Amino acid sequence: MRVAQLGSGTPEVAVVAGVHGDEPCGVRAIERLLDERPTVERPVKLVVVNEAALERRVRFVDEDLNRAFPGQQDAKTHEGRLAHRLVEELEGCLAFSMHSTQSHADPFAIVNGISETATEICPQLPVTAMVETSNFSEGRLFSEIDTVEVECGLQGSETAAENADRLTRAFLTAVDALPGDTVHRDLPVFRLTDVIRKEQADTYEVFVENFTEVEPGNPFAAADGETQIAEEPFYPVLMSPNGYRDVFGYAAEKVDVVQTPTAAD
């Protein structure tokens, strides 16, 4: 794990990348900040987490780090030990953790509860949605540390790396670490309600778009040609044919739209 800092003093905000070794976009954003060394108005901790997995270009060495928190100092797995170290490193910080996905090109935020912090920061980020995932937070970083996660774009793409840089600077501006103003936007909020599982098969298909409502009776996915039909309306999130080993993605409900404050407000 590599830890660096911008500014002097004890950081209360942190930028985290490389939780998964096959998602290098956030690492690029941190490296650019370290190259430029911008003047910050409050100290910022920068953490590149799973260096061993990044070097091997694999998602993880022993287990998924973002399902391993809080970890243990003497855990049997590399990621179990790393999770413990990261929790210690981020104590007292608001963390901004960058990921990428195989399911959706446009950036979106993931939070563990619709908190005041989430509703204040996420609409200032260049994202298209906020996803509340407290029903499925076990083992994830934000189960231990106050964290805003972002999916920066398609895994391995140059666009995801560019988005990661924009997202990081918007976050640091929103928390008053970098000078300047952010752009506020109306932001739809979705809550994950269920896992959409898939059986072992040779071929998988997904027929729907993420964040677009699926009506009852409509087909949404297939495994070896066996079609799955929606029994109830839902919004697909992180849905892709091969993003996860045993699930297509998640079903969600739309619960809110965070409105842009007006001048009168």
Side-chain angles (χ1 to χ4, degrees):
M1 187 167 69
R2 178 160 53 114
V3 181
Q5 183 170 322
L6 299 175
S8 59
T10 301
E12 295 179 341
V13 293
V15 176
V16 178
V19 168
H20 295 132
D22 57 356
E23 298 175 2
C25 57
V27 180
R28 295 261 303 273
I30 284 180
E31 289 173 343
R32 185 170 176 180
L33 282 173
L34 289 172
D35 287 342
E36 294 182 7
R37 290 279 174 180
T39 300
V40 291
E41 300 183 355
R42 58 188 300 201
V44 179
K45 183 172 289 191
L46 306 172
V47 185
V48 175
V49 188
N50 202 340
E51 292 184 287
L54 285 161
E55 289 171 2
R56 302 180 194 186
R57 298 183 180 180
V58 295
R59 187 170 183 82
F60 53 80
V61 175
D62 295 317
E63 64 172 323
D64 188 335
L65 176 56
N66 212 24
R67 300 296 184 272
F69 292 97
Q72 293 180 324
Q73 186 173 3
D74 58 351
K76 294 182 179 180
T77 65
H78 167 70
E79 280 79 12
R81 296 186 296 273
L82 198 57
H84 176 78
R85 288 179 56 201
L86 184 59
V87 169
E88 287 190 331
E89 192 65 50
L90 296 178
E91 184 178 359
C93 287
L94 169 63
F96 181 73
S97 181
M98 289 176 283
H99 296 262
S100 54
T101 174
Q102 295 185 32
S103 66
H104 198 65
D106 295 327
F108 60 94
I110 303 177
V111 296
N112 185 27
I114 306 173
S115 65
E116 183 177 345
T117 298
T119 56
E120 178 182 346
I121 290 176
C122 291
Q124 299 183 66
L125 305 176
V127 295
T128 58
M130 179 167 71
V131 177
E132 194 276 317
T133 183
S134 59
N135 293 331
F136 304 93
S137 63
E138 183 177 357
R140 298 178 69 150
L141 175 59
F142 49 43
S143 67
E144 300 296 322
I145 299 295
D146 192 9
T147 303
V148 173
E149 283 190 4
V150 287
E151 296 286 354
C152 298
L154 294 177
Q155 188 175 314
S157 68
E158 185 64 28
T159 300
E162 294 169 358
N163 289 341
D165 183 66
R166 291 170 50 234
L167 287 157
T168 299
R169 291 167 193 268
F171 168 76
L172 293 177
T173 303
V175 297
D176 299 321
L178 287 178
D181 298 314
T182 58
V183 176
H184 285 73
R185 50 186 56 77
D186 292 349
L187 200 61
V189 181
F190 299 85
R191 176 179 292 120
L192 300 189
T193 57
D194 203 0
V195 177
I196 301 174
R197 302 199 176 276
K198 63 184 182 185
E199 301 297 326
Q200 186 170 355
D202 294 323
T203 61
Y204 299 104
E205 299 171 273
V206 168
F207 309 128
V208 294
E209 296 291 331
N210 283 289
F211 301 110
T212 299
E213 188 174 25
V214 178
E215 298 290 346
N218 286 351
F220 61 86
D224 281 348
E226 188 74 23
T227 301
Q228 295 190 29
I229 304 296
E231 296 180 1
E232 298 178 349
F234 73 94
Y235 289 86
V237 174
L238 290 167
M239 282 274 287
S240 68
N242 300 302
Y244 298 100
R245 180 177 57 84
D246 54 357
V247 303
F248 280 110
Y250 296 87
E253 59 181 348
K254 189 174 182 179
V255 295
D256 199 4
V257 175
V258 179
Q259 299 285 339
T260 302
T262 64
D265 294 336

